Structure formats: structure tokens, C-alpha cells
Short mmCIF file of all heavy atoms in Angstrom, two decimals:
data_model
loop_
_atom_site.label_atom_id
_atom_site.label_comp_id
_atom_site.label_asym_id
_atom_site.label_seq_id
_atom_site.Cartn_x
_atom_site.Cartn_y
_atom_site.Cartn_z
N MET A 1 -1.50 -100.97 -72.63
CA MET A 1 -0.62 -100.62 -71.55
C MET A 1 -0.61 -99.09 -71.41
O MET A 1 -0.45 -98.37 -72.36
CB MET A 1 0.79 -101.13 -71.84
CG MET A 1 1.76 -100.89 -70.74
SD MET A 1 3.25 -101.81 -71.14
CE MET A 1 4.40 -100.87 -70.23
N ALA A 2 -0.78 -98.64 -70.20
CA ALA A 2 -0.84 -97.20 -69.95
C ALA A 2 0.51 -96.70 -69.48
O ALA A 2 1.27 -97.42 -68.84
CB ALA A 2 -1.89 -96.91 -68.88
N LYS A 3 0.78 -95.44 -69.79
CA LYS A 3 1.99 -94.79 -69.28
C LYS A 3 1.54 -93.73 -68.29
O LYS A 3 0.68 -92.90 -68.60
CB LYS A 3 2.75 -94.09 -70.40
CG LYS A 3 3.67 -94.97 -71.15
CD LYS A 3 4.53 -94.11 -72.04
CE LYS A 3 5.70 -94.91 -72.56
NZ LYS A 3 6.55 -94.13 -73.43
N ILE A 4 2.09 -93.77 -67.09
CA ILE A 4 1.80 -92.76 -66.11
C ILE A 4 3.11 -92.21 -65.56
O ILE A 4 4.14 -92.88 -65.61
CB ILE A 4 0.90 -93.29 -64.96
CG1 ILE A 4 1.60 -94.41 -64.18
CG2 ILE A 4 -0.42 -93.77 -65.48
CD1 ILE A 4 0.89 -94.79 -62.91
N ALA A 5 3.04 -91.00 -65.03
CA ALA A 5 4.22 -90.37 -64.43
C ALA A 5 4.00 -90.26 -62.93
O ALA A 5 2.94 -89.82 -62.48
CB ALA A 5 4.44 -89.00 -65.03
N LEU A 6 4.99 -90.68 -62.17
CA LEU A 6 4.93 -90.62 -60.72
C LEU A 6 6.09 -89.77 -60.20
O LEU A 6 7.16 -89.76 -60.79
CB LEU A 6 5.02 -92.01 -60.11
CG LEU A 6 3.96 -93.01 -60.55
CD1 LEU A 6 4.31 -94.40 -60.02
CD2 LEU A 6 2.60 -92.58 -60.07
N VAL A 7 5.83 -89.06 -59.09
CA VAL A 7 6.85 -88.22 -58.48
C VAL A 7 7.04 -88.68 -57.05
O VAL A 7 6.06 -88.96 -56.34
CB VAL A 7 6.43 -86.74 -58.50
CG1 VAL A 7 7.45 -85.86 -57.80
CG2 VAL A 7 6.19 -86.26 -59.91
N GLN A 8 8.29 -88.75 -56.60
CA GLN A 8 8.57 -89.16 -55.23
C GLN A 8 8.42 -87.95 -54.32
O GLN A 8 9.01 -86.91 -54.55
CB GLN A 8 9.97 -89.75 -55.10
CG GLN A 8 10.26 -90.29 -53.72
CD GLN A 8 11.61 -90.97 -53.65
OE1 GLN A 8 12.40 -90.88 -54.55
NE2 GLN A 8 11.86 -91.61 -52.52
N THR A 9 7.65 -88.10 -53.25
CA THR A 9 7.47 -87.02 -52.28
C THR A 9 8.54 -87.08 -51.21
O THR A 9 9.34 -88.02 -51.17
CB THR A 9 6.09 -87.12 -51.62
OG1 THR A 9 5.99 -88.35 -50.93
CG2 THR A 9 4.97 -87.01 -52.65
N GLN A 10 8.52 -86.10 -50.31
CA GLN A 10 9.50 -86.00 -49.24
C GLN A 10 9.51 -87.27 -48.38
O GLN A 10 10.55 -87.73 -47.95
CB GLN A 10 9.19 -84.79 -48.35
CG GLN A 10 10.27 -84.44 -47.38
CD GLN A 10 11.46 -83.77 -48.04
OE1 GLN A 10 11.40 -83.32 -49.16
NE2 GLN A 10 12.56 -83.74 -47.32
N GLY A 11 8.35 -87.85 -48.13
CA GLY A 11 8.25 -89.03 -47.29
C GLY A 11 8.61 -90.32 -47.99
O GLY A 11 8.64 -91.38 -47.38
N GLY A 12 8.86 -90.27 -49.30
CA GLY A 12 9.24 -91.46 -50.04
C GLY A 12 8.10 -92.12 -50.81
O GLY A 12 8.31 -93.11 -51.49
N ALA A 13 6.90 -91.57 -50.71
CA ALA A 13 5.75 -92.13 -51.43
C ALA A 13 5.77 -91.65 -52.88
O ALA A 13 6.23 -90.55 -53.18
CB ALA A 13 4.45 -91.71 -50.77
N LEU A 14 5.27 -92.48 -53.79
CA LEU A 14 5.14 -92.11 -55.18
C LEU A 14 3.71 -91.64 -55.41
O LEU A 14 2.75 -92.34 -55.10
CB LEU A 14 5.45 -93.29 -56.10
CG LEU A 14 6.90 -93.78 -56.06
CD1 LEU A 14 7.02 -95.06 -56.89
CD2 LEU A 14 7.84 -92.72 -56.57
N VAL A 15 3.55 -90.43 -55.96
CA VAL A 15 2.23 -89.86 -56.23
C VAL A 15 2.12 -89.54 -57.71
O VAL A 15 3.13 -89.24 -58.37
CB VAL A 15 1.97 -88.60 -55.38
CG1 VAL A 15 1.92 -88.95 -53.91
CG2 VAL A 15 3.00 -87.53 -55.63
N PRO A 16 0.91 -89.58 -58.28
CA PRO A 16 0.73 -89.28 -59.70
C PRO A 16 1.08 -87.81 -60.00
O PRO A 16 0.80 -86.93 -59.20
CB PRO A 16 -0.75 -89.56 -59.96
CG PRO A 16 -1.37 -89.85 -58.66
CD PRO A 16 -0.33 -89.98 -57.63
N LEU A 17 1.65 -87.58 -61.17
CA LEU A 17 2.09 -86.24 -61.55
C LEU A 17 0.95 -85.40 -62.10
O LEU A 17 0.82 -84.22 -61.75
CB LEU A 17 3.21 -86.35 -62.59
CG LEU A 17 3.83 -85.04 -63.06
CD1 LEU A 17 4.54 -84.35 -61.90
CD2 LEU A 17 4.81 -85.30 -64.18
N THR A 18 0.09 -85.97 -62.93
CA THR A 18 -0.99 -85.21 -63.55
C THR A 18 -2.35 -85.74 -63.11
O THR A 18 -2.45 -86.81 -62.50
CB THR A 18 -0.90 -85.28 -65.09
OG1 THR A 18 -1.11 -86.64 -65.49
CG2 THR A 18 0.45 -84.80 -65.60
N ASP A 19 -3.39 -85.00 -63.47
CA ASP A 19 -4.76 -85.43 -63.16
C ASP A 19 -5.12 -86.71 -63.90
O ASP A 19 -5.83 -87.57 -63.38
CB ASP A 19 -5.76 -84.34 -63.50
CG ASP A 19 -5.66 -83.15 -62.55
OD1 ASP A 19 -5.19 -83.34 -61.40
OD2 ASP A 19 -6.04 -82.04 -62.96
N ASP A 20 -4.63 -86.86 -65.14
CA ASP A 20 -4.90 -88.08 -65.90
C ASP A 20 -4.25 -89.30 -65.22
O ASP A 20 -4.85 -90.37 -65.18
CB ASP A 20 -4.37 -87.95 -67.33
CG ASP A 20 -5.16 -86.95 -68.15
OD1 ASP A 20 -6.33 -86.70 -67.81
OD2 ASP A 20 -4.59 -86.41 -69.11
N ASP A 21 -3.05 -89.12 -64.70
CA ASP A 21 -2.37 -90.21 -63.99
C ASP A 21 -3.15 -90.58 -62.73
O ASP A 21 -3.31 -91.74 -62.41
CB ASP A 21 -0.95 -89.82 -63.63
CG ASP A 21 -0.08 -89.51 -64.85
OD1 ASP A 21 -0.39 -90.04 -65.93
OD2 ASP A 21 0.87 -88.74 -64.70
N LYS A 22 -3.63 -89.57 -62.02
CA LYS A 22 -4.42 -89.83 -60.81
C LYS A 22 -5.72 -90.56 -61.14
O LYS A 22 -6.13 -91.47 -60.45
CB LYS A 22 -4.72 -88.51 -60.09
CG LYS A 22 -5.46 -88.69 -58.78
CD LYS A 22 -5.65 -87.39 -58.07
CE LYS A 22 -6.37 -87.46 -56.77
NZ LYS A 22 -7.06 -88.66 -56.41
N HIS A 23 -6.37 -90.15 -62.23
CA HIS A 23 -7.62 -90.80 -62.65
C HIS A 23 -7.39 -92.27 -62.97
O HIS A 23 -8.19 -93.13 -62.62
CB HIS A 23 -8.18 -90.05 -63.86
CG HIS A 23 -9.49 -90.59 -64.33
ND1 HIS A 23 -10.64 -90.52 -63.56
CD2 HIS A 23 -9.84 -91.21 -65.48
CE1 HIS A 23 -11.63 -91.08 -64.24
NE2 HIS A 23 -11.17 -91.51 -65.41
N PHE A 24 -6.27 -92.58 -63.65
CA PHE A 24 -5.94 -93.97 -63.98
C PHE A 24 -5.76 -94.80 -62.71
O PHE A 24 -6.28 -95.91 -62.59
CB PHE A 24 -4.67 -94.03 -64.83
CG PHE A 24 -4.19 -95.42 -65.11
CD1 PHE A 24 -4.81 -96.20 -66.07
CD2 PHE A 24 -3.17 -95.97 -64.37
CE1 PHE A 24 -4.38 -97.50 -66.31
CE2 PHE A 24 -2.72 -97.26 -64.61
CZ PHE A 24 -3.33 -98.01 -65.58
N ILE A 25 -5.04 -94.25 -61.74
CA ILE A 25 -4.79 -94.99 -60.49
C ILE A 25 -6.07 -95.14 -59.67
O ILE A 25 -6.29 -96.18 -59.06
CB ILE A 25 -3.67 -94.27 -59.68
CG1 ILE A 25 -2.34 -94.44 -60.43
CG2 ILE A 25 -3.55 -94.86 -58.28
CD1 ILE A 25 -1.21 -93.64 -59.84
N ASP A 26 -6.91 -94.10 -59.68
CA ASP A 26 -8.17 -94.17 -58.92
C ASP A 26 -9.12 -95.24 -59.45
O ASP A 26 -9.96 -95.75 -58.71
CB ASP A 26 -8.87 -92.81 -58.93
CG ASP A 26 -8.16 -91.79 -58.05
OD1 ASP A 26 -7.36 -92.20 -57.19
OD2 ASP A 26 -8.40 -90.58 -58.23
N LYS A 27 -9.00 -95.60 -60.73
CA LYS A 27 -9.86 -96.64 -61.31
C LYS A 27 -9.53 -98.04 -60.76
O LYS A 27 -10.35 -98.93 -60.81
CB LYS A 27 -9.68 -96.68 -62.83
CG LYS A 27 -10.37 -95.58 -63.58
CD LYS A 27 -10.14 -95.83 -65.07
CE LYS A 27 -10.78 -94.82 -65.94
NZ LYS A 27 -10.50 -95.12 -67.35
N LYS A 28 -8.31 -98.22 -60.29
CA LYS A 28 -7.87 -99.53 -59.82
C LYS A 28 -8.40 -99.80 -58.42
O LYS A 28 -8.53 -98.91 -57.59
CB LYS A 28 -6.33 -99.62 -59.80
CG LYS A 28 -5.69 -99.34 -61.13
CD LYS A 28 -6.13 -100.31 -62.17
CE LYS A 28 -5.56 -99.97 -63.52
NZ LYS A 28 -6.23 -100.65 -64.60
N ARG A 29 -8.72 -101.06 -58.14
CA ARG A 29 -9.18 -101.44 -56.82
C ARG A 29 -8.04 -101.45 -55.82
O ARG A 29 -6.88 -101.60 -56.21
CB ARG A 29 -9.75 -102.86 -56.85
CG ARG A 29 -11.03 -103.00 -57.61
CD ARG A 29 -11.57 -104.39 -57.37
NE ARG A 29 -12.50 -104.73 -58.41
CZ ARG A 29 -13.03 -105.92 -58.57
NH1 ARG A 29 -12.68 -106.90 -57.76
NH2 ARG A 29 -13.88 -106.15 -59.53
N VAL A 30 -8.38 -101.30 -54.56
CA VAL A 30 -7.39 -101.37 -53.51
C VAL A 30 -6.83 -102.80 -53.49
O VAL A 30 -7.58 -103.76 -53.55
CB VAL A 30 -8.00 -101.02 -52.13
CG1 VAL A 30 -7.00 -101.25 -51.01
CG2 VAL A 30 -8.49 -99.59 -52.13
N GLY A 31 -5.54 -102.92 -53.44
CA GLY A 31 -4.90 -104.24 -53.44
C GLY A 31 -4.47 -104.72 -54.81
O GLY A 31 -3.84 -105.77 -54.92
N THR A 32 -4.82 -103.97 -55.86
CA THR A 32 -4.40 -104.33 -57.21
C THR A 32 -2.90 -104.16 -57.34
O THR A 32 -2.33 -103.17 -56.91
CB THR A 32 -5.11 -103.46 -58.27
OG1 THR A 32 -6.52 -103.62 -58.11
CG2 THR A 32 -4.70 -103.84 -59.66
N VAL A 33 -2.24 -105.14 -57.94
CA VAL A 33 -0.80 -105.09 -58.13
C VAL A 33 -0.53 -104.56 -59.54
O VAL A 33 -1.05 -105.10 -60.51
CB VAL A 33 -0.15 -106.48 -57.95
CG1 VAL A 33 1.33 -106.42 -58.25
CG2 VAL A 33 -0.42 -106.99 -56.55
N LEU A 34 0.25 -103.51 -59.62
CA LEU A 34 0.66 -102.93 -60.90
C LEU A 34 2.15 -103.16 -61.06
O LEU A 34 2.94 -102.79 -60.19
CB LEU A 34 0.36 -101.44 -60.96
CG LEU A 34 -1.09 -101.03 -60.78
CD1 LEU A 34 -1.22 -99.51 -60.68
CD2 LEU A 34 -1.93 -101.55 -61.93
N GLU A 35 2.54 -103.77 -62.16
CA GLU A 35 3.97 -104.01 -62.42
C GLU A 35 4.49 -102.89 -63.29
O GLU A 35 3.86 -102.51 -64.29
CB GLU A 35 4.15 -105.36 -63.12
CG GLU A 35 5.59 -105.74 -63.31
CD GLU A 35 5.71 -107.11 -63.91
OE1 GLU A 35 5.01 -108.04 -63.45
OE2 GLU A 35 6.52 -107.25 -64.84
N CYS A 36 5.65 -102.33 -62.95
CA CYS A 36 6.17 -101.15 -63.66
C CYS A 36 7.63 -101.34 -64.04
O CYS A 36 8.38 -102.02 -63.37
CB CYS A 36 6.08 -99.93 -62.75
SG CYS A 36 4.44 -99.58 -62.13
N ASP A 37 8.01 -100.68 -65.13
CA ASP A 37 9.41 -100.52 -65.52
C ASP A 37 9.72 -99.04 -65.34
O ASP A 37 9.08 -98.19 -65.97
CB ASP A 37 9.65 -100.92 -66.97
CG ASP A 37 9.46 -102.41 -67.18
OD1 ASP A 37 9.82 -103.17 -66.26
OD2 ASP A 37 8.98 -102.80 -68.25
N PHE A 38 10.68 -98.71 -64.50
CA PHE A 38 11.00 -97.32 -64.21
C PHE A 38 12.18 -96.85 -65.02
O PHE A 38 13.13 -97.59 -65.27
CB PHE A 38 11.34 -97.14 -62.71
CG PHE A 38 10.14 -97.33 -61.83
CD1 PHE A 38 9.95 -98.53 -61.18
CD2 PHE A 38 9.22 -96.33 -61.66
CE1 PHE A 38 8.87 -98.73 -60.36
CE2 PHE A 38 8.13 -96.50 -60.83
CZ PHE A 38 7.95 -97.71 -60.17
N LYS A 39 12.12 -95.58 -65.46
CA LYS A 39 13.26 -94.95 -66.08
C LYS A 39 13.19 -93.46 -65.78
O LYS A 39 12.12 -92.89 -65.63
CB LYS A 39 13.34 -95.21 -67.58
CG LYS A 39 12.31 -94.50 -68.41
CD LYS A 39 12.56 -94.79 -69.88
CE LYS A 39 11.55 -94.06 -70.74
NZ LYS A 39 11.78 -94.33 -72.15
N THR A 40 14.34 -92.86 -65.67
CA THR A 40 14.43 -91.43 -65.41
C THR A 40 14.61 -90.71 -66.72
O THR A 40 15.43 -91.13 -67.56
CB THR A 40 15.62 -91.14 -64.48
OG1 THR A 40 15.47 -91.91 -63.30
CG2 THR A 40 15.70 -89.67 -64.13
N LEU A 41 13.88 -89.63 -66.93
CA LEU A 41 14.01 -88.86 -68.16
C LEU A 41 15.31 -88.07 -68.13
O LEU A 41 15.73 -87.56 -67.09
CB LEU A 41 12.82 -87.92 -68.32
CG LEU A 41 11.47 -88.62 -68.42
CD1 LEU A 41 10.36 -87.58 -68.54
CD2 LEU A 41 11.43 -89.52 -69.62
N ARG A 42 15.93 -87.94 -69.27
CA ARG A 42 17.20 -87.22 -69.36
C ARG A 42 16.96 -85.72 -69.42
O ARG A 42 15.90 -85.25 -69.81
CB ARG A 42 17.97 -87.65 -70.60
CG ARG A 42 18.42 -89.08 -70.52
CD ARG A 42 19.18 -89.42 -71.79
NE ARG A 42 19.59 -90.80 -71.75
CZ ARG A 42 20.85 -91.19 -71.60
NH1 ARG A 42 21.80 -90.31 -71.51
NH2 ARG A 42 21.13 -92.46 -71.58
N ASN A 43 17.99 -84.98 -69.06
CA ASN A 43 17.97 -83.52 -69.14
C ASN A 43 18.06 -83.13 -70.63
O ASN A 43 19.07 -83.41 -71.27
CB ASN A 43 19.13 -82.96 -68.35
CG ASN A 43 19.17 -81.46 -68.35
OD1 ASN A 43 18.49 -80.80 -69.12
ND2 ASN A 43 20.01 -80.93 -67.46
N PRO A 44 17.05 -82.46 -71.19
CA PRO A 44 17.09 -82.16 -72.63
C PRO A 44 18.20 -81.20 -73.03
O PRO A 44 18.75 -81.33 -74.12
CB PRO A 44 15.71 -81.54 -72.89
CG PRO A 44 15.18 -81.16 -71.58
CD PRO A 44 15.82 -82.01 -70.56
N MET A 45 18.59 -80.27 -72.16
CA MET A 45 19.68 -79.35 -72.51
C MET A 45 21.02 -80.11 -72.63
O MET A 45 21.80 -79.86 -73.54
CB MET A 45 19.81 -78.24 -71.48
CG MET A 45 18.77 -77.17 -71.62
SD MET A 45 18.73 -76.38 -73.23
CE MET A 45 20.27 -75.51 -73.21
N PHE A 46 21.25 -81.04 -71.72
CA PHE A 46 22.48 -81.84 -71.81
C PHE A 46 22.43 -82.69 -73.07
O PHE A 46 23.45 -82.84 -73.78
CB PHE A 46 22.64 -82.74 -70.59
CG PHE A 46 23.82 -83.64 -70.67
CD1 PHE A 46 25.09 -83.16 -70.44
CD2 PHE A 46 23.66 -84.98 -70.99
CE1 PHE A 46 26.20 -84.00 -70.54
CE2 PHE A 46 24.76 -85.82 -71.09
CZ PHE A 46 26.02 -85.32 -70.86
N HIS A 47 21.30 -83.26 -73.41
CA HIS A 47 21.16 -84.12 -74.58
C HIS A 47 21.47 -83.32 -75.85
O HIS A 47 22.19 -83.79 -76.73
CB HIS A 47 19.73 -84.67 -74.62
CG HIS A 47 19.52 -85.73 -75.66
ND1 HIS A 47 20.01 -87.00 -75.51
CD2 HIS A 47 18.89 -85.70 -76.83
CE1 HIS A 47 19.69 -87.72 -76.58
NE2 HIS A 47 19.00 -86.94 -77.39
N ARG A 48 20.93 -82.10 -75.97
CA ARG A 48 21.20 -81.26 -77.14
C ARG A 48 22.68 -80.92 -77.23
O ARG A 48 23.27 -80.92 -78.29
CB ARG A 48 20.38 -79.97 -77.04
CG ARG A 48 18.94 -80.17 -77.36
CD ARG A 48 18.21 -78.84 -77.40
NE ARG A 48 16.80 -79.08 -77.18
CZ ARG A 48 16.11 -78.69 -76.14
NH1 ARG A 48 16.68 -77.99 -75.19
NH2 ARG A 48 14.84 -78.99 -76.03
N LYS A 49 23.28 -80.58 -76.08
CA LYS A 49 24.69 -80.19 -76.07
C LYS A 49 25.57 -81.36 -76.49
O LYS A 49 26.54 -81.19 -77.22
CB LYS A 49 25.06 -79.76 -74.65
CG LYS A 49 26.37 -79.02 -74.56
CD LYS A 49 26.78 -78.68 -73.15
CE LYS A 49 25.74 -77.97 -72.35
NZ LYS A 49 26.23 -77.57 -71.02
N TYR A 50 25.23 -82.57 -76.08
CA TYR A 50 26.04 -83.75 -76.37
C TYR A 50 26.02 -84.10 -77.86
O TYR A 50 27.03 -84.53 -78.42
CB TYR A 50 25.54 -84.92 -75.52
CG TYR A 50 26.37 -86.16 -75.69
CD1 TYR A 50 27.59 -86.29 -75.04
CD2 TYR A 50 25.95 -87.20 -76.50
CE1 TYR A 50 28.35 -87.43 -75.17
CE2 TYR A 50 26.70 -88.35 -76.65
CZ TYR A 50 27.91 -88.45 -75.99
OH TYR A 50 28.66 -89.57 -76.13
N PHE A 51 24.85 -83.95 -78.51
CA PHE A 51 24.70 -84.41 -79.89
C PHE A 51 24.90 -83.31 -80.94
O PHE A 51 24.61 -83.52 -82.10
CB PHE A 51 23.34 -85.10 -80.08
CG PHE A 51 23.31 -86.46 -79.46
CD1 PHE A 51 22.65 -86.66 -78.26
CD2 PHE A 51 23.97 -87.52 -80.04
CE1 PHE A 51 22.62 -87.90 -77.67
CE2 PHE A 51 23.95 -88.78 -79.45
CZ PHE A 51 23.29 -88.96 -78.27
N LEU A 52 25.39 -82.14 -80.55
CA LEU A 52 25.65 -81.12 -81.53
C LEU A 52 26.90 -81.46 -82.35
O LEU A 52 27.81 -82.14 -81.86
CB LEU A 52 25.88 -79.77 -80.83
CG LEU A 52 24.66 -79.10 -80.23
CD1 LEU A 52 25.10 -77.86 -79.46
CD2 LEU A 52 23.67 -78.71 -81.29
N THR A 53 26.96 -80.98 -83.59
CA THR A 53 28.17 -81.13 -84.39
C THR A 53 29.26 -80.25 -83.79
O THR A 53 28.96 -79.28 -83.11
CB THR A 53 27.91 -80.74 -85.86
OG1 THR A 53 27.52 -79.37 -85.90
CG2 THR A 53 26.84 -81.63 -86.48
N PRO A 54 30.54 -80.53 -84.07
CA PRO A 54 31.62 -79.74 -83.45
C PRO A 54 31.53 -78.24 -83.71
O PRO A 54 31.75 -77.44 -82.81
CB PRO A 54 32.88 -80.33 -84.08
CG PRO A 54 32.50 -81.73 -84.43
CD PRO A 54 31.05 -81.67 -84.80
N ALA A 55 31.16 -77.82 -84.93
CA ALA A 55 31.06 -76.40 -85.23
C ALA A 55 29.92 -75.76 -84.44
O ALA A 55 30.05 -74.68 -83.88
CB ALA A 55 30.86 -76.18 -86.73
N LYS A 56 28.78 -76.43 -84.41
CA LYS A 56 27.64 -75.92 -83.66
C LYS A 56 27.90 -75.96 -82.17
O LYS A 56 27.43 -75.11 -81.41
CB LYS A 56 26.36 -76.69 -84.00
CG LYS A 56 25.84 -76.41 -85.38
CD LYS A 56 24.54 -77.15 -85.60
CE LYS A 56 23.99 -76.86 -86.97
NZ LYS A 56 22.73 -77.58 -87.20
N LYS A 57 28.66 -76.97 -81.73
CA LYS A 57 28.96 -77.10 -80.30
C LYS A 57 29.77 -75.90 -79.82
O LYS A 57 29.50 -75.36 -78.75
CB LYS A 57 29.73 -78.38 -80.04
CG LYS A 57 29.87 -78.72 -78.57
CD LYS A 57 30.58 -80.04 -78.36
CE LYS A 57 29.67 -81.18 -78.75
NZ LYS A 57 30.19 -82.48 -78.40
N LEU A 58 30.71 -75.43 -80.62
CA LEU A 58 31.53 -74.29 -80.25
C LEU A 58 30.68 -73.04 -80.11
O LEU A 58 30.77 -72.32 -79.13
CB LEU A 58 32.64 -74.07 -81.28
CG LEU A 58 33.57 -72.91 -81.02
CD1 LEU A 58 34.30 -73.12 -79.70
CD2 LEU A 58 34.57 -72.76 -82.15
N THR A 59 29.79 -72.77 -81.08
CA THR A 59 28.95 -71.58 -81.00
C THR A 59 27.94 -71.71 -79.84
O THR A 59 27.64 -70.73 -79.18
CB THR A 59 28.19 -71.33 -82.30
OG1 THR A 59 27.42 -72.48 -82.62
CG2 THR A 59 29.14 -71.02 -83.43
N PHE A 60 27.45 -72.92 -79.56
CA PHE A 60 26.53 -73.14 -78.46
C PHE A 60 27.21 -72.84 -77.13
O PHE A 60 26.67 -72.16 -76.27
CB PHE A 60 26.02 -74.58 -78.47
CG PHE A 60 25.09 -74.91 -77.36
CD1 PHE A 60 23.76 -74.54 -77.43
CD2 PHE A 60 25.52 -75.58 -76.23
CE1 PHE A 60 22.88 -74.84 -76.41
CE2 PHE A 60 24.65 -75.89 -75.19
CZ PHE A 60 23.33 -75.51 -75.29
N LEU A 61 28.44 -73.36 -76.96
CA LEU A 61 29.16 -73.15 -75.70
C LEU A 61 29.53 -71.68 -75.49
O LEU A 61 29.46 -71.17 -74.38
CB LEU A 61 30.40 -74.02 -75.67
CG LEU A 61 30.14 -75.53 -75.61
CD1 LEU A 61 31.45 -76.29 -75.69
CD2 LEU A 61 29.40 -75.88 -74.34
N ILE A 62 29.87 -70.98 -76.56
CA ILE A 62 30.18 -69.54 -76.45
C ILE A 62 28.91 -68.79 -76.03
O ILE A 62 28.96 -67.90 -75.17
CB ILE A 62 30.75 -69.00 -77.77
CG1 ILE A 62 32.15 -69.58 -78.00
CG2 ILE A 62 30.79 -67.47 -77.76
CD1 ILE A 62 32.71 -69.29 -79.37
N GLY A 63 27.79 -69.14 -76.60
CA GLY A 63 26.50 -68.50 -76.25
C GLY A 63 26.15 -68.77 -74.79
O GLY A 63 25.67 -67.89 -74.09
N GLU A 64 26.36 -70.00 -74.32
CA GLU A 64 26.08 -70.34 -72.92
C GLU A 64 26.98 -69.55 -72.00
O GLU A 64 26.56 -69.10 -70.94
CB GLU A 64 26.25 -71.84 -72.68
CG GLU A 64 25.16 -72.68 -73.30
CD GLU A 64 23.79 -72.40 -72.70
OE1 GLU A 64 23.68 -72.41 -71.46
OE2 GLU A 64 22.85 -72.16 -73.46
N ARG A 65 28.25 -69.39 -72.37
CA ARG A 65 29.19 -68.63 -71.54
C ARG A 65 28.76 -67.17 -71.44
O ARG A 65 28.81 -66.57 -70.38
CB ARG A 65 30.59 -68.73 -72.12
CG ARG A 65 31.65 -68.10 -71.21
CD ARG A 65 33.01 -68.17 -71.77
NE ARG A 65 33.03 -67.26 -72.95
CZ ARG A 65 33.91 -67.30 -73.90
NH1 ARG A 65 34.88 -68.20 -73.89
NH2 ARG A 65 33.88 -66.46 -74.90
N ASN A 66 28.25 -66.61 -72.53
CA ASN A 66 27.79 -65.21 -72.52
C ASN A 66 26.55 -65.03 -71.67
O ASN A 66 26.36 -63.99 -71.08
CB ASN A 66 27.55 -64.72 -73.93
CG ASN A 66 28.84 -64.58 -74.73
OD1 ASN A 66 29.90 -64.47 -74.15
ND2 ASN A 66 28.75 -64.60 -76.05
N LYS A 67 25.70 -66.05 -71.61
CA LYS A 67 24.50 -65.98 -70.76
C LYS A 67 24.88 -65.92 -69.28
O LYS A 67 24.22 -65.28 -68.49
CB LYS A 67 23.59 -67.20 -70.99
CG LYS A 67 22.82 -67.16 -72.27
CD LYS A 67 21.94 -68.38 -72.36
CE LYS A 67 21.28 -68.50 -73.71
NZ LYS A 67 20.48 -69.73 -73.80
N LEU A 68 25.94 -66.64 -68.92
CA LEU A 68 26.37 -66.69 -67.52
C LEU A 68 27.03 -65.40 -67.07
O LEU A 68 27.01 -65.06 -65.90
CB LEU A 68 27.32 -67.87 -67.30
CG LEU A 68 26.73 -69.26 -67.53
CD1 LEU A 68 27.79 -70.31 -67.39
CD2 LEU A 68 25.59 -69.51 -66.55
N ALA A 69 27.64 -64.66 -68.01
CA ALA A 69 28.38 -63.45 -67.64
C ALA A 69 27.44 -62.30 -67.33
O ALA A 69 26.33 -62.23 -67.54
CB ALA A 69 29.30 -63.07 -68.78
#
């Protein structure tokens, strides 16, 4: 099973993200049905902020506040 990344364009079409993804799709015949499970990748900065310990979370938030100032 292959993993490919697709991006939605302005018109609503899904296009391959990388050259490897495009190469995989180009190998398929016209009319081939591909079944997919879609998921959206999470924001890594939010993920890190959520799973920090309370002491580290405080220093992280103070550092982020200083970056904004």
C-alpha cells in the first residue's frame, strides 16, 4: 500500500504534492479506482505545546510571549 500526499487546489481538484506522488499516480491507467482514507496532519507546534509538562509549559509560553513582543 502506497502513501501519497494530495493538496486541494483553488478549483477543488486534488493534485499530488511531490514528484514521487505524481509518478505514482501517472503509473495508473485512466479510469482506475483508488480507494483512500483521508486524514489531516496536525499542527506540530500546537502538539508540542499541548503535551509539555506544566513546568516546561510555563517557560514555553513565556518564551512565545517574548517572541511576539
Side-chain angles (χ1 to χ4, degrees):
M1 183 170 156
K3 275 190 167 180
I4 63 170
L6 302 172
V7 178
Q8 184 176 9
T9 61
Q10 191 75 15
L14 295 174
V15 295
L17 183 64
T18 64
D19 290 335
D20 291 336
D21 299 334
K22 183 176 180 347
H23 183 65
F24 174 78
I25 292 173
D26 288 342
K27 285 183 179 179
K28 303 300 176 195
R29 291 188 201 173
V30 174
T32 301
V33 176
L34 300 173
E35 186 176 314
C36 304
D37 292 325
F38 291 99
K39 72 177 181 180
T40 304
L41 298 178
R42 294 180 182 250
N43 181 347
M45 283 303 291
F46 176 77
H47 189 74
R48 284 186 202 114
K49 194 184 308 184
Y50 183 78
F51 286 104
L52 288 174
T53 61
K56 288 184 179 180
K57 190 177 287 188
L58 180 61
T59 58
F60 179 80
L61 293 175
I62 291 171
E64 288 296 310
R65 186 181 69 198
N66 291 339
K67 285 182 188 177
L68 296 176

